[in-house]
Amino acid sequence: MSLSALPLPPARVFAELLAPPLGARGRENEPVPGLLGGRSTAVPPGREVHVSGSAELCAAPDRARVSIRLGSRKGEAGEARSSVTRRLEYIAQSARQRGVQEENVTVTKDFSRVENAYQMEAEVCITFSDFGKMQNVCNLLVEKLGSSVIISPPHFYHTAEAVDTLRRQVCLAAVGNTRRKAQEVCRLFGQSLGKPLLIREEEMKEWEGQIDSHPSNSSNTLTVQQRIQSATIYASSKIFAIFEIKGREKRKNKLI
């Protein structure tokens, strides 16, 4: 097969330089602004550049929640309650000393009778905005309390404010990329970019991060960095815009 017989790939439109139809400026044989006696004054026919642009950004989680469970079963109710209370106080004190605010700590308790003994169980949920502090607190509790407490793997997530910020930033980044593309098109033809006539977000996508995990890996064996990567949110935005073309780009005269 000769090269001339090969099908041509579909063309991709980088930008369009258009002049609006006559109806957009005025009806035929009717004066329009900028016309005097049917003749054009200093205002040339309007021209436009149509461009599209996109951007992609990501945001790591800004919060982590850790659950700490503990319990005690004793023959006397007071002994079971005292054993759990001492450890709860130590957990709360350790968190406060490392800058965790009281409103970020939630404690639930359950007291019950099991056979001929009394059982008390408690759960402490701590929300961290500083992941370094989270690791310091968890390491300290493992060192000091050992197997008397069960610390769950951290659950990373985003606040509503963080998600809204990501959406705004990716949209603005896409608008900026679209405007720069329009400027480059105009400069290529010696034109100057004018004001925007239309800016429209055509597509917005969000998805969570993926990790390169081995089939044997489970959610309980992931490292902290793998959990952060898995909880990272990605967002992309696609923008369509129409800009005015002002005319030839003015060049500054260089002094000799």
Side-chain angles (χ1 to χ4, degrees), residues 44-250:
R47 294 177 300 167
E48 301 169 351
V49 54
H50 294 201
V51 292
S52 62
S54 62
E56 180 179 315
L57 297 176
C58 66
D62 60 334
R63 292 291 188 275
R65 184 184 299 111
V66 173
S67 173
I68 306 164
R69 293 185 290 116
L70 58 153
S72 177
R73 180 184 294 187
K74 301 288 184 180
E76 297 293 332
E79 293 180 2
R81 187 179 291 108
S82 176
S83 175
V84 172
T85 300
R86 286 196 305 268
R87 283 174 284 167
L88 286 176
E89 291 175 351
Y90 184 80
I91 294 172
Q93 179 184 0
S94 301
R96 284 195 304 268
Q97 289 176 346
R98 282 152 185 81
V100 178
Q101 301 297 321
E102 186 175 353
E103 59 266 21
N104 292 326
V105 180
T106 304
V107 180
T108 57
K109 304 176 184 178
D110 180 67
F111 192 80
S112 61
R113 176 89 175 184
V114 180
E115 296 179 350
N116 295 326
Y118 294 91
Q119 177 173 293
M120 183 171 183
E121 295 178 323
E123 182 178 18
V124 183
C125 292
I126 307 177
T127 301
F128 295 90
S129 57
D130 187 325
F131 301 158
K133 290 182 180 179
M134 175 197 70
Q135 290 182 296
N136 290 337
V137 170
C138 292
N139 292 340
L140 177 66
L141 296 179
V142 170
E143 178 185 350
K144 299 299 183 181
L145 299 179
S147 59
S148 66
V149 295
I150 300 175
I151 303 176
S152 68
H155 170 66
F156 294 96
Y157 65 97
H158 294 77
T159 59
E161 293 79 6
V163 176
D164 289 340
T165 298
L166 174 63
R167 291 169 179 168
R168 289 195 302 270
Q169 288 177 343
V170 72
C171 180
L172 293 176
V175 171
N177 292 340
T178 305
R179 184 178 184 276
R180 283 188 289 273
K181 181 186 289 187
Q183 285 179 321
E184 293 175 3
V185 172
C186 290
R187 288 172 184 168
L188 183 64
F189 294 97
Q191 305 295 308
S192 179
L193 186 67
K195 64 183 180 181
L197 303 177
L198 171 68
I199 298 177
R200 181 175 64 236
E201 186 176 43
E202 293 191 320
E203 186 179 72
M204 175 69 179
K205 291 183 178 180
E206 294 179 17
W207 66 96
E208 289 188 351
Q210 301 291 331
I211 58 173
D212 298 328
S213 59
H214 192 272
S216 61
N217 285 351
S218 66
S219 59
N220 292 328
T221 60
L222 297 178
T223 66
V224 171
Q225 290 302 322
Q226 286 176 326
R227 292 178 185 277
I228 292 176
Q229 181 182 355
S230 178
T232 297
I233 292 180
Y234 294 79
S236 66
S237 176
K238 183 178 180 181
I239 297 294
F240 172 77
I242 301 175
F243 292 90
E244 203 175 44
I245 300 178
K246 292 193 297 188
R248 291 198 171 273
E249 187 176 12
K250 297 181 180 179

Side-chain angles (χ1 to χ4, degrees), residues 30-48:
E30 287 188 5
V32 296
L35 296 180
L36 183 60
R39 296 183 179 182
S40 174
T41 58
V43 180
R47 294 177 300 167
E48 301 169 351

